[in-house]
Amino acid sequence: MCYCSYTSFLGLYPLLSRGSLQLVKVEEISQTIDSENFTVQNCVVFSGLGSTTAITTNAKFEVRSPKRVQIKFDEGIIGTPQLTDSIVLPENVEVLGQKVDLSPFKGLITSVQDTASNVAKTISNQPPLKFSISQTNAESWLLTTYLDEELRISRGDGGSVFVLLKEGSPLLLP
């Protein structure tokens, strides 16, 4: 089962807040559930400044009741940035309510394109960074409060609300 997700999880707010990271864009948030092996994978894909990368967490889950699961996160993965050969800067960005003109940096970016291309090839061939998650706060529970063929709404023990749409749902179409 694969879900695309939206969340109220406060830890993601700095990354997802509209307009707060104008040089970084969240491309995709997904959750993949393997009900045979009782595992779940959460993934956020980012792009910006000439690269795309993903941050992923892997967890095991245990069904505690028909509506509640216990989740234990065990691994995090920071994907190797997939760099492009060219960097496209916006004309300006807003920082703390002030527009910052980025046009003076365009010449600098153009002058390092050849070097960036070689670096991009080297970095993109590196393996992802994997790390163990062994803290006590790496365990949580989720209570599913609504479920149908396309939509799942769950609440976490920290007060988070997760609204997830099943991959391929017509509700995902723009």
Side-chain angles (χ1 to χ4, degrees), residues 87-92 102-111 113:
I87 298 173
V88 178
L89 286 177
E91 292 294 321
N92 56 60
L102 297 179
S103 58
F105 297 104
K106 289 194 180 211
L108 175 65
I109 295 299
T110 302
S111 68
Q113 287 296 337

Side-chain angles (χ1 to χ4, degrees), residues 76-137:
I77 302 169
I78 300 174
T80 304
Q82 299 303 306
L83 303 177
T84 60
D85 287 341
S86 62
I87 298 173
V88 178
L89 286 177
E91 292 294 321
N92 56 60
V93 294
E94 190 171 318
V95 179
L96 301 172
Q98 300 290 319
K99 272 194 175 178
V100 176
D101 181 15
L102 297 179
S103 58
F105 297 104
K106 289 194 180 211
L108 175 65
I109 295 299
T110 302
S111 68
V112 296
Q113 287 296 337
D114 290 340
T115 304
S117 178
N118 291 331
V119 170
K121 290 174 188 168
T122 302
I123 291 175
S124 294
N125 290 328
Q126 299 301 310
L129 174 64
K130 295 183 179 186
F131 55 93
S132 176
I133 301 174
S134 59
Q135 302 167 352
T136 56
N137 62 353

Side-chain angles (χ1 to χ4, degrees), residues 7-157:
T7 180
S8 68
F9 177 60
L10 294 176
L12 287 178
Y13 275 172
L15 301 173
L16 305 178
S17 294
R18 187 173 186 92
S20 66
L21 291 176
Q22 294 183 7
L23 298 177
V24 177
K25 179 181 176 189
V26 175
E27 294 290 339
E28 179 183 340
I29 302 173
S30 64
Q31 181 178 76
T32 305
I33 301 169
D34 182 343
S35 56
E36 290 180 9
N37 294 308
F38 297 96
T39 61
V40 62
Q41 182 180 70
N42 297 312
C43 182
V44 180
V45 178
F46 302 94
S47 67
L49 296 177
S51 70
T52 301
T53 193
I55 298 175
T56 304
T57 58
N58 294 321
K60 293 181 174 74
F61 68 89
E62 178 183 323
V63 178
R64 295 283 174 96
S65 77
K67 292 186 176 187
R68 184 175 166 170
V69 294
Q70 187 72 24
I71 298 173
K72 171 76 169 105
F73 292 95
D74 53 15
E75 179 183 55
I77 302 169
I78 300 174
T80 304
Q82 299 303 306
L83 303 177
T84 60
D85 287 341
S86 62
I87 298 173
V88 178
L89 286 177
E91 292 294 321
N92 56 60
V93 294
E94 190 171 318
V95 179
L96 301 172
Q98 300 290 319
K99 272 194 175 178
V100 176
D101 181 15
L102 297 179
S103 58
F105 297 104
K106 289 194 180 211
L108 175 65
I109 295 299
T110 302
S111 68
V112 296
Q113 287 296 337
D114 290 340
T115 304
S117 178
N118 291 331
V119 170
K121 290 174 188 168
T122 302
I123 291 175
S124 294
N125 290 328
Q126 299 301 310
L129 174 64
K130 295 183 179 186
F131 55 93
S132 176
I133 301 174
S134 59
Q135 302 167 352
T136 56
N137 62 353
E139 227 174 293
S140 182
W141 56 258
L142 282 177
L143 181 66
T144 298
T145 55
Y146 181 83
L147 178 65
D148 68 19
E149 294 296 318
E150 297 178 359
L151 178 69
R152 185 178 98 217
I153 301 174
S154 298
R155 298 186 182 278
D157 59 351

